[in-house]
Amino acid sequence: MNSTRDTISEQPVTPAEQTSEMSVARVVVDVMLKPEILDPQGRAVQGALGRLDLQGVIDVRQGKQFVIDLEGDLDEATVAKLHDIAEHLLSNPVIEDYVLHIEPAGTATTGAQQ
Amino acid sequence: MTARIGVVTFPGTLDDQDAARAVALGGAEVVRLWHGDHDLKDVDAIILPGGFSYGDYLRCGAISAHAPLMANIVDAANGGMPVLGICNGFQILCESGLLPGALTRNESLHFICRDQVLKIENADTAWTNDFDNGDHIEVPLKNGEGRFIADSKTLEQLEADNQVVFRYVDVNPNGSLNDIAGISNARGNVVGLMPHPEHAVELLTGPTTDGLGLIRSVLASLTARSVA
């Protein structure tokens, strides 16, 4: 939670933090409702797209993205634990699917600012 | 001896006071339980009340399902202890795996608050044996994410095994599959429903006193268990 807040904060980064050598692994988990599950939020957004004159919209689905920063390199056990957490806490396998991506240590970037 | 019924409070639970009042009016002893403990305090049955635990963050009930006390509740439920989940409590029971299926955003996207008529579909559970099959009760309903869904195989199995306990009558307020308002586990000791029987225990504040029937039911089932 804190790391996410730090990433998106716009406070100036101090020189000490800039030169920090701690390697960071970033794990990104995307969670989407299964295709067969009704997504009333996506449907409401689709309605808004029509009102904004975007033509030809076939479907809109709304999902969630979790960005988890971890200290150091990820070992196999940690990756297995992350998959378990993605399946049983971050998503509900009854209604949702997840996709987990790992960005190599040291290449973490501020994904929230695009 | 008076039965001891535990009422669990999570951060963001709202209806624990009403649930406790319903238990007391029903003639049982109220035992307050805290989500962060590992102590069921020798209760005979447990109610997970409604509310917005953890602000409904992540998914309704998802974070509470991993609370320390839930490990004890899952063990006790698997051992046959009567457990009732109301609204957010129902969501927690589904998230914890004690009940199948899931509760999702109402089809209309509206938060719904109304008095709702329910049909008792299974009067053999620990929480409904005071009723007869086909009885109608009227209790308040208030939720934004009360649409019960499950895959078709699970749904067929719930229907075939009489695990649909409550069904909406006249109107399906949230798009729940098969008009399902509440279900039980196979054994019938764990029951969850979206509407609020604990708000229908006194005519001053509720549409009926039908909710007391659930407390009478669990007291009867506890007596039957202790005799057996």
Side-chain angles (χ1 to χ4, degrees), chain B residues 5-9 19-20 22-23 45-49 82-86 127 215:
Chain B
I5 301 185
V7 175
V8 185
T9 301
V23 167
I46 297 169
I47 297 178
L48 304 182
V83 177
L84 176 69
I86 302 167
W127 297 92
I215 307 298

Side-chain angles (χ1 to χ4, degrees), chain A residues 7 24-28 67-70 101-104 108-112:
Chain A
T7 303
V24 175
R26 170 159 289 177
V27 176
V28 179
V67 180
I68 304 166
D69 289 341
L70 293 135
H101 313 271
I102 297 168
E103 295 179 12
T109 52
T110 53

Side-chain angles (χ1 to χ4, degrees), chain A residues 1 31 33 36-38 40-41 43-44 64 66 87-96, chain B residues 57-59 62-63 66 94-95 100-109 147 149-151:
Chain A
M1 298 288 274
V31 176
L33 283 172
E36 66 271 24
I37 302 293
L38 176 74
Q41 292 183 105
R43 206 169 51 181
K64 297 174 197 163
F66 301 86
E87 184 171 353
H88 294 112
L89 176 66
L90 303 184
S91 72
N92 177 343
V94 177
I95 52 171
E96 294 167 326
Chain B
Y57 291 177
L58 192 55
R59 292 176 309 282
I63 299 177
H66 295 272
C94 288
E95 283 283 346
L103 285 311
T104 60
R105 190 68 59 111
N106 292 346
E107 193 169 16
S108 64
L109 282 175
R147 180 173 186 263
I149 64 152
D151 61 54

